[in-house]
Amino acid sequence: MANPWPGSWVPASGDQPARIGGRAVTELAGEYGTPVFVVDRQELTARMDAWVQGAAAAFAPERGLAGADVYYASKAFTCTAMIRLARARGMRADVASGGELAVALAAGMPGEHIGLHGNNKSAAELQAALEAGVGRIVVDSLSEISFLQGIADDGGYGAVPVFLRVTTGVHAGANEYVSTAHEDQKFGLSYSSGAAMEAARAVVEAANLELAGLHMHIGSQIFGPDGHDASARALLRLRAEIAAEVGVLVPEVDLGGGYGVTYVDEEPAPVAEMAEALAVAVREECEALGTAVPRISFEPGRSVIGPAVVTLYSVGTTKSVTVDDGERWYVAFDGGMQDNVLRPMLYGSEYVAQVASREPGGEGRRSRLVGKHCESGDIMIRDLELPGGLERGDLLAIPTTGAYARSMASNYNMLTRPAVVAVAEGAEPDVWLRAETTEDLLLLDPGA
């Protein structure tokens, strides 16, 4: 069975607390408070290396392919330390807003190694991207092409590298809300309707734009290569059709992200296996079409940062309630929908948890793990068994919380967002993001 805990995690035993990166969780909670996101740096770098090395090996020129680049999807989680580490491990950066772009640039990521996404980019965001010399602007609609062209014209920019985000019609992913390649949704230019071809023609005809690539993204939490394989082949067919119609064989194709991770017991395919399967698809399809192979890129986010993070919480109130089929024990912790619970609320996502400060003993009790917000849906785990000896102040740990947790965090109920702290054997903890304070919240209030 797949294990959701990072490599350095050692569970609590008796009175001894759990450890991560060689550090006792009680020590981390005492120094940084709870909730706190704890990054297993060694797990994280291993995942970065798996992507960079796996993509390079699968798409190596000596195998008749044109190489591959890996863009870390900043939307999963970003800060300057994260981007600096990604750059050091050979990754590039995919950003989806002006804020994410600013973080990448502040971290020293070269503009040409950044790709800008977004279905509704503002003039300010596009202007910032042009000034930074980003390596690709992924356009999402016909109207955006003319909008970008005008901004580039006004600024005197030429040969702006444009990728077209194409809706290939392949529907994949664990939830309809994170499946992004079917027709009836906000992202992309439809292959089947002809919108993608029309967009290609518009970019080629624009004097200051360059049709540099095609892009796809078919969903999230995808565990095998089949969906990406089918969508990649469709994208390569479109590439050949564009070459025949407008005379440009785009040099790059981005196969997107969406690669799954283990939250409970899911079994995602290894990165090298996914990359190899897609390399075979690219080679076969290009041979069948009689086109030169393109350079390939990927945009993993969750599969890089997700399993490398554990969130620590402190137990607060507990109470028993009577339900139709017996009793349920409600255990509340000191976070909630302002940090991790938003994913279970939006997507029905599932997690596991461990008592991390000690083994409290006591007969297991049917439990529900809930946050502290004024919302009845503020539920982290609906059904789990927790030991009956659990008490206020005990620490709970929840793994695989690196993606779409701190990045989606809010100040609902005016709670402050938690710190992010990286740990590694033989090194001092490194604060990647400090915990917010109530003073931080009041800074935005001119009446305070």
Side-chain angles (χ1 to χ4, degrees):
M1 182 179 293
N3 175 19
W5 297 90
S8 74
W9 180 259
V10 180
S13 177
D15 290 334
Q16 295 301 307
R19 301 180 70 83
I20 181 170
R23 295 277 169 169
V25 296
T26 47
E27 175 189 340
L28 294 169
E31 185 167 355
Y32 303 106
T34 58
V36 59
F37 292 100
V38 183
V39 182
D40 181 338
R41 185 183 170 111
Q42 289 161 312
E43 176 81 22
L44 177 57
T45 55
R47 289 180 168 275
M48 290 177 170
D49 293 347
W51 265 108
V52 172
Q53 295 167 14
F59 290 89
E62 55 265 31
R63 303 184 67 195
L65 291 149
D69 301 302
V70 181
Y71 286 72
Y72 170 67
S74 299
K75 64 179 182 173
F77 166 75
T78 195
C79 67
T80 55
M82 179 68 185
I83 299 301
R84 287 191 186 103
L85 184 59
R87 183 186 178 198
R89 309 308 290 197
M91 302 184 86
R92 301 183 177 198
D94 156 38
V95 302
S97 71
E100 289 180 5
L101 174 61
V103 170
L105 293 171
M109 185 66 73
E112 62 269 25
H113 289 175
I114 299 174
L116 176 64
H117 275 280
N119 70 302
N120 187 29
K121 305 175 197 69
S122 68
E125 288 171 330
L126 290 171
Q127 182 65 42
L130 293 174
E131 290 174 0
V134 301
R136 57 181 65 173
I137 296 177
V138 184
V139 302
D140 209 87
S141 63
L142 287 164
S143 64
E144 187 181 15
I145 294 170
S146 57
F147 186 49
L148 172 60
Q149 182 181 351
I151 294 170
D153 238 1
D154 291 344
Y157 295 97
V160 175
V162 169
F163 276 50
L164 304 179
R165 177 162 178 167
V166 178
T167 304
T168 61
V170 176
H171 184 90
N175 186 295
E176 65 174 302
Y177 296 114
V178 292
S179 298
T180 53
H182 52 289
E183 294 290 332
D184 190 12
Q185 48 90 34
K186 72 177 186 176
F187 293 111
L189 294 145
S190 170
Y191 181 6
S192 63
S193 74
M197 181 64 76
E198 187 179 349
R201 193 178 297 109
V203 172
V204 170
E205 290 173 355
N208 49 4
L209 305 182
E210 175 189 356
L211 184 58
L214 300 177
H215 176 278
M216 70 180 205
H217 185 80
I218 61 173
S220 295
Q221 273 296 83
I222 300 168
F223 300 115
D226 291 353
H228 282 89
D229 181 303
S231 191
R233 290 175 187 273
L235 202 62
L236 291 166
R237 290 194 295 273
L238 173 63
R239 176 175 176 257
E241 292 167 12
I242 290 171
E245 183 151 335
V246 303
V248 175
L249 183 67
V250 297
E252 296 189 51
V253 168
D254 192 315
L255 301 183
Y259 305 95
V261 300
T262 302
Y263 284 99
V264 180
D265 57 6
E266 304 93 330
E267 294 273 6
V271 168
E273 182 180 312
M274 294 282 282
E276 178 62 29
L278 292 173
V280 170
V282 169
R283 184 188 299 108
E284 287 180 351
E285 198 66 29
C286 287
E287 287 176 356
L289 293 165
T291 55
V293 293
R295 188 168 183 85
I296 295 297
S297 48
F298 295 96
E299 294 174 352
R302 184 196 317 266
S303 64
V304 174
I305 186 63
V309 177
V310 172
T311 306
L312 302 178
Y313 293 105
S314 295
V315 173
T317 60
T318 61
K319 66 178 178 181
S320 294
V321 301
T322 301
V323 294
D324 291 342
D325 55 350
E327 180 189 67
R328 178 177 287 122
W329 196 32
Y330 274 75
V331 176
F333 59 87
D334 57 348
M337 60 184 290
Q338 103 278 6
D339 45 67
N340 281 306
V341 178
L342 197 57
R343 290 194 67 254
M345 292 181 74
L346 286 175
Y347 308 132
S349 305
E350 296 183 341
Y351 289 89
V352 298
Q354 284 183 13
V355 183
S357 45
R358 63 188 178 103
E359 284 188 300
E363 186 176 345
R365 300 180 68 176
R366 177 187 179 192
S367 306
R368 178 163 290 174
L369 189 58
V370 299
K372 63 177 291 175
H373 289 275
C374 294
E375 298 284 343
S376 59
D378 186 23
I379 300 169
M380 185 71 193
I381 304 177
R382 288 190 167 271
D383 290 292
L384 75 163
E385 185 175 279
L386 290 172
L390 189 69
E391 297 175 350
R392 176 183 284 272
D394 280 328
L395 295 179
L396 290 171
I398 299 178
T400 321
T401 49
Y404 306 104
R406 182 57 176 79
S407 63
M408 294 174 75
S410 75
N411 296 122
Y412 181 50
N413 288 153
M414 295 304 281
L415 267 68
T416 53
R417 291 177 293 179
V420 179
V421 179
V423 294
E425 294 276 356
E428 288 299 308
D430 185 16
V431 177
W432 281 13
L433 290 173
R434 68 167 175 82
E436 284 183 326
T437 65
T438 51
E439 287 76 15
D440 291 327
L441 303 182
L442 292 172
L443 284 174
L444 300 178
D445 188 339

